[in-house]
Amino acid sequence: MDLFTRSWTALRTAVAEVPAPDFERPSGCAGWLVRDLVCHLVIDAQDVLITLATPAATEPTVDAVTYWHVEDRPPTGKDPLDALTVWLAAAYGDPHLLTFHLDDVGSAAGRAAELADPRARVGTRAEVLTVGDYLGAYVLEWTLHHLDLIAHLPEARILPPEEGLARSRAMLERIAGAAFPASFTDRDALLVGTGRSAPTEAQRAELRDAAVRFPLVLG
Protein backbone atom coordinates (compact mmCIF):
# COMPACT_ATOMS: atom_id res chain seq x y z
CA MET A 1 0.00 0.00 0.00
CA ASP A 2 2.94 2.33 0.64
CA LEU A 3 4.14 1.76 -2.92
CA PHE A 4 0.67 2.63 -4.24
CA THR A 5 0.87 5.94 -2.37
CA ARG A 6 4.38 6.77 -3.54
CA SER A 7 3.63 5.84 -7.16
CA TRP A 8 0.39 7.83 -7.20
CA THR A 9 1.97 10.84 -5.51
CA ALA A 10 4.86 10.84 -7.99
CA LEU A 11 2.48 10.64 -10.94
CA ARG A 12 0.25 13.47 -9.72
CA THR A 13 3.31 15.60 -8.96
CA ALA A 14 4.62 14.98 -12.47
CA VAL A 15 1.27 16.04 -13.95
CA ALA A 16 1.29 19.23 -11.87
CA GLU A 17 4.66 20.17 -13.38
CA VAL A 18 3.60 19.77 -17.02
CA PRO A 19 3.49 23.21 -18.72
CA ALA A 20 0.12 24.06 -20.25
CA PRO A 21 1.37 23.92 -23.89
CA ASP A 22 2.66 20.37 -23.33
CA PHE A 23 -0.87 19.09 -22.74
CA GLU A 24 -1.19 19.13 -26.53
CA ARG A 25 1.83 16.84 -27.00
CA PRO A 26 1.36 13.12 -27.65
CA SER A 27 1.51 10.76 -24.70
CA GLY A 28 2.84 7.22 -24.63
CA CYS A 29 -0.72 5.93 -25.08
CA ALA A 30 -1.27 5.53 -28.81
CA GLY A 31 -3.77 8.10 -30.07
CA TRP A 32 -3.92 10.06 -26.82
CA LEU A 33 -2.52 13.49 -26.10
CA VAL A 34 -1.16 14.29 -22.65
CA ARG A 35 -4.49 15.97 -21.83
CA ASP A 36 -6.37 12.76 -22.72
CA LEU A 37 -4.11 10.72 -20.48
CA VAL A 38 -4.60 13.14 -17.57
CA CYS A 39 -8.36 12.94 -18.06
CA HIS A 40 -8.05 9.15 -17.92
CA LEU A 41 -6.21 9.53 -14.60
CA VAL A 42 -9.17 11.51 -13.24
CA ILE A 43 -11.42 8.59 -14.19
CA ASP A 44 -8.94 6.15 -12.61
CA ALA A 45 -9.02 8.13 -9.37
CA GLN A 46 -12.81 7.99 -9.39
CA ASP A 47 -12.63 4.23 -9.91
CA VAL A 48 -10.34 3.88 -6.89
CA LEU A 49 -12.80 5.84 -4.73
CA ILE A 50 -15.75 3.81 -5.99
CA THR A 51 -14.03 0.47 -5.48
CA LEU A 52 -12.80 1.29 -1.97
CA ALA A 53 -16.41 2.16 -1.12
CA THR A 54 -17.72 -1.14 -2.52
CA PRO A 55 -17.18 -3.79 0.17
CA ALA A 56 -17.56 -7.47 -0.68
CA ALA A 57 -18.37 -10.36 1.64
CA THR A 58 -17.34 -13.26 -0.58
CA GLU A 59 -13.93 -14.85 -1.08
CA PRO A 60 -11.45 -13.12 -3.44
CA THR A 61 -11.61 -14.25 -7.04
CA VAL A 62 -8.46 -12.45 -8.26
CA ASP A 63 -5.27 -10.96 -6.85
CA ALA A 64 -3.01 -8.07 -7.91
CA VAL A 65 -1.73 -10.01 -10.93
CA THR A 66 -4.79 -11.96 -12.08
CA TYR A 67 -6.80 -8.71 -11.85
CA TRP A 68 -5.25 -7.87 -15.22
CA HIS A 69 -6.61 -9.33 -18.44
CA VAL A 70 -4.46 -9.77 -21.53
CA GLU A 71 -6.38 -8.57 -24.57
CA ASP A 72 -5.95 -10.17 -27.99
CA ARG A 73 -5.47 -6.86 -29.83
CA PRO A 74 -4.35 -3.32 -29.04
CA PRO A 75 -6.99 -0.62 -28.49
CA THR A 76 -8.34 1.01 -31.64
CA GLY A 77 -9.69 4.16 -30.02
CA LYS A 78 -13.22 3.14 -31.00
CA ASP A 79 -14.11 1.85 -27.54
CA PRO A 80 -16.91 4.12 -26.21
CA LEU A 81 -15.04 4.87 -22.97
CA ASP A 82 -11.84 5.74 -24.84
CA ALA A 83 -13.80 8.08 -27.12
CA LEU A 84 -15.55 9.64 -24.12
CA THR A 85 -12.19 10.25 -22.42
CA VAL A 86 -10.91 12.23 -25.42
CA TRP A 87 -14.16 14.22 -25.62
CA LEU A 88 -14.09 15.02 -21.89
CA ALA A 89 -10.44 16.04 -22.02
CA ALA A 90 -11.15 18.52 -24.81
CA ALA A 91 -14.17 19.88 -22.92
CA TYR A 92 -11.95 21.05 -20.06
CA GLY A 93 -10.40 23.64 -22.36
CA ASP A 94 -7.91 25.17 -19.93
CA PRO A 95 -5.37 22.55 -18.76
CA HIS A 96 -5.44 24.19 -15.33
CA LEU A 97 -9.01 22.95 -14.86
CA LEU A 98 -7.93 19.43 -15.68
CA THR A 99 -4.98 19.45 -13.28
CA PHE A 100 -7.19 21.01 -10.59
CA HIS A 101 -9.72 18.20 -10.98
CA LEU A 102 -6.99 15.55 -10.86
CA ASP A 103 -5.49 17.10 -7.75
CA ASP A 104 -8.92 17.25 -6.09
CA VAL A 105 -10.15 13.75 -6.90
CA GLY A 106 -6.66 12.24 -6.89
CA SER A 107 -5.89 13.52 -3.40
CA ALA A 108 -9.15 12.03 -2.15
CA ALA A 109 -8.31 8.68 -3.73
CA GLY A 110 -4.87 8.78 -2.13
CA ARG A 111 -6.32 9.50 1.32
CA ALA A 112 -8.92 6.76 0.94
CA ALA A 113 -6.19 4.28 0.06
CA GLU A 114 -4.11 5.25 3.10
CA LEU A 115 -7.12 4.81 5.41
CA ALA A 116 -8.31 1.50 3.95
CA ASP A 117 -7.80 -1.86 5.65
CA PRO A 118 -5.56 -3.92 3.31
CA ARG A 119 -7.30 -7.10 4.46
CA ALA A 120 -10.79 -5.86 3.59
CA ARG A 121 -12.44 -7.18 0.44
CA VAL A 122 -13.84 -5.02 -2.32
CA GLY A 123 -15.68 -5.65 -5.56
CA THR A 124 -14.87 -4.27 -8.99
CA ARG A 125 -15.29 -5.45 -12.60
CA ALA A 126 -17.44 -8.36 -11.34
CA GLU A 127 -14.47 -9.63 -9.31
CA VAL A 128 -13.58 -9.64 -5.60
CA LEU A 129 -10.12 -8.97 -4.20
CA THR A 130 -8.51 -7.62 -1.06
CA VAL A 131 -7.81 -3.92 -0.79
CA GLY A 132 -4.10 -4.70 -0.61
CA ASP A 133 -4.24 -6.60 -3.91
CA TYR A 134 -6.41 -3.95 -5.55
CA LEU A 135 -4.00 -1.18 -4.65
CA GLY A 136 -1.09 -3.42 -5.64
CA ALA A 137 -2.61 -3.85 -9.10
CA TYR A 138 -2.74 -0.07 -9.43
CA VAL A 139 1.01 0.23 -8.87
CA LEU A 140 1.33 -1.21 -12.38
CA GLU A 141 -1.33 1.20 -13.68
CA TRP A 142 0.33 4.27 -12.16
CA THR A 143 3.81 3.22 -13.28
CA LEU A 144 2.83 2.57 -16.89
CA HIS A 145 0.88 5.81 -17.11
CA HIS A 146 3.74 7.76 -15.54
CA LEU A 147 5.93 6.45 -18.36
CA ASP A 148 3.16 7.41 -20.80
CA LEU A 149 3.00 10.92 -19.38
CA ILE A 150 6.71 11.65 -19.82
CA ALA A 151 7.20 9.70 -23.06
CA HIS A 152 7.48 12.89 -25.15
CA LEU A 153 8.37 15.31 -22.37
CA PRO A 154 12.18 15.21 -22.25
CA GLU A 155 12.34 17.96 -19.61
CA ALA A 156 10.18 16.07 -17.11
CA ARG A 157 11.92 15.93 -13.71
CA ILE A 158 9.63 13.58 -11.77
CA LEU A 159 10.15 9.92 -12.71
CA PRO A 160 8.34 6.80 -11.49
CA PRO A 161 9.79 5.44 -8.23
CA GLU A 162 12.44 2.78 -8.83
CA GLU A 163 10.59 0.35 -6.57
CA GLY A 164 7.44 0.91 -8.59
CA LEU A 165 9.29 0.12 -11.81
CA ALA A 166 10.75 -3.06 -10.30
CA ARG A 167 7.42 -4.20 -8.85
CA SER A 168 5.63 -3.48 -12.12
CA ARG A 169 8.21 -5.46 -14.08
CA ALA A 170 7.80 -8.40 -11.72
CA MET A 171 4.02 -8.23 -12.14
CA LEU A 172 4.29 -8.04 -15.92
CA GLU A 173 6.59 -11.08 -15.91
CA ARG A 174 4.07 -13.03 -13.87
CA ILE A 175 1.34 -12.02 -16.31
CA ALA A 176 3.56 -13.04 -19.23
CA GLY A 177 4.55 -16.30 -17.54
CA ALA A 178 8.22 -15.65 -18.34
CA ALA A 179 11.01 -13.33 -17.26
CA PHE A 180 12.33 -10.58 -19.48
CA PRO A 181 16.04 -10.82 -20.32
CA ALA A 182 18.35 -9.57 -17.58
CA SER A 183 19.83 -7.03 -20.00
CA PHE A 184 16.48 -5.19 -20.08
CA THR A 185 16.12 -2.34 -17.62
CA ASP A 186 12.84 -2.30 -15.72
CA ARG A 187 11.73 0.61 -17.90
CA ASP A 188 12.65 -1.26 -21.10
CA ALA A 189 10.77 -4.35 -19.94
CA LEU A 190 7.63 -2.32 -19.29
CA LEU A 191 7.76 -0.24 -22.46
CA VAL A 192 8.69 -3.06 -24.83
CA GLY A 193 6.63 -5.65 -23.00
CA THR A 194 3.43 -3.62 -23.33
CA GLY A 195 4.12 -2.45 -26.87
CA ARG A 196 4.76 1.14 -25.90
CA SER A 197 8.11 1.09 -27.68
CA ALA A 198 9.55 -1.17 -30.37
CA PRO A 199 12.39 -3.48 -29.35
CA THR A 200 15.78 -3.20 -30.99
CA GLU A 201 16.87 -6.14 -33.12
CA ALA A 202 19.07 -7.34 -30.26
CA GLN A 203 16.19 -7.08 -27.79
CA ARG A 204 13.87 -8.89 -30.19
CA ALA A 205 16.33 -11.78 -30.43
CA GLU A 206 16.63 -11.95 -26.65
CA LEU A 207 12.86 -11.98 -26.28
CA ARG A 208 12.63 -14.91 -28.72
CA ASP A 209 15.24 -16.80 -26.73
CA ALA A 210 13.37 -16.07 -23.49
CA ALA A 211 10.07 -17.16 -25.06
CA VAL A 212 8.34 -14.01 -23.82
CA ARG A 213 5.09 -13.22 -25.56
CA PHE A 214 4.89 -9.57 -26.46
CA PRO A 215 3.40 -7.09 -26.61
CA LEU A 216 1.05 -7.70 -23.72
CA VAL A 217 -2.07 -5.55 -24.09
CA LEU A 218 -3.45 -5.17 -20.59
CA GLY A 219 -7.05 -4.42 -19.78
Side-chain angles (χ1 to χ4, degrees):
M1 292 178 69
D2 175 62
L3 193 49
F4 169 96
T5 299
R6 288 192 285 124
S7 298
W8 185 220
T9 299
L11 177 51
R12 289 187 292 116
T13 303
V15 170
E17 292 199 352
V18 176
D22 287 351
F23 275 70
E24 300 302 316
R25 290 194 183 189
S27 76
C29 288
W32 275 6
L33 302 176
V34 167
R35 72 181 186 189
D36 304 325
L37 173 62
V38 175
C39 186
H40 172 73
L41 296 178
V42 172
I43 296 171
D44 266 353
Q46 292 172 339
D47 284 345
V48 169
L49 285 169
I50 291 168
T51 300
L52 293 179
T54 308
T58 57
E59 291 295 316
T61 56
V62 293
D63 59 23
V65 172
T66 55
Y67 169 87
W68 294 103
H69 302 146
V70 178
E71 308 292 343
D72 58 1
R73 60 179 60 88
T76 63
K78 295 181 180 180
D79 178 84
L81 184 56
D82 288 347
L84 176 63
T85 300
V86 174
W87 184 86
L88 284 174
Y92 276 91
D94 184 351
H96 172 73
L97 298 176
L98 191 52
T99 55
F100 174 81
H101 197 182
L102 177 63
D103 181 63
D104 193 33
V105 180
S107 296
R111 287 193 299 272
E114 290 175 352
L115 294 171
D117 179 354
R119 299 165 298 178
R121 299 167 188 170
V122 291
T124 183
R125 306 199 309 184
E127 302 283 5
V128 174
L129 68 172
T130 66
V131 167
D133 275 329
Y134 175 68
L135 298 180
Y138 260 82
V139 171
L140 178 56
E141 175 86 354
W142 300 150
T143 301
L144 287 174
H145 283 330
H146 198 145
L147 294 174
D148 290 332
L149 177 74
I150 64 176
H152 301 285
L153 303 178
E155 296 182 0
R157 297 187 312 108
I158 308 298
L159 305 179
E162 292 296 327
E163 278 188 59
L165 289 167
R167 176 76 62 82
S168 296
R169 176 190 184 143
M171 291 175 66
L172 193 64
E173 289 178 336
R174 287 182 60 190
I175 294 168
F180 288 93
S183 64
F184 280 46
T185 65
D186 293 337
R187 182 169 180 161
D188 284 344
L190 293 169
L191 293 177
V192 172
T194 60
R196 284 167 163 82
S197 64
T200 64
E201 285 303 316
Q203 288 176 329
R204 192 180 298 274
E206 287 190 275
L207 287 169
R208 282 196 298 267
D209 292 341
V212 179
R213 173 191 169 193
F214 78 95
L216 295 171
V217 180
L218 303 181

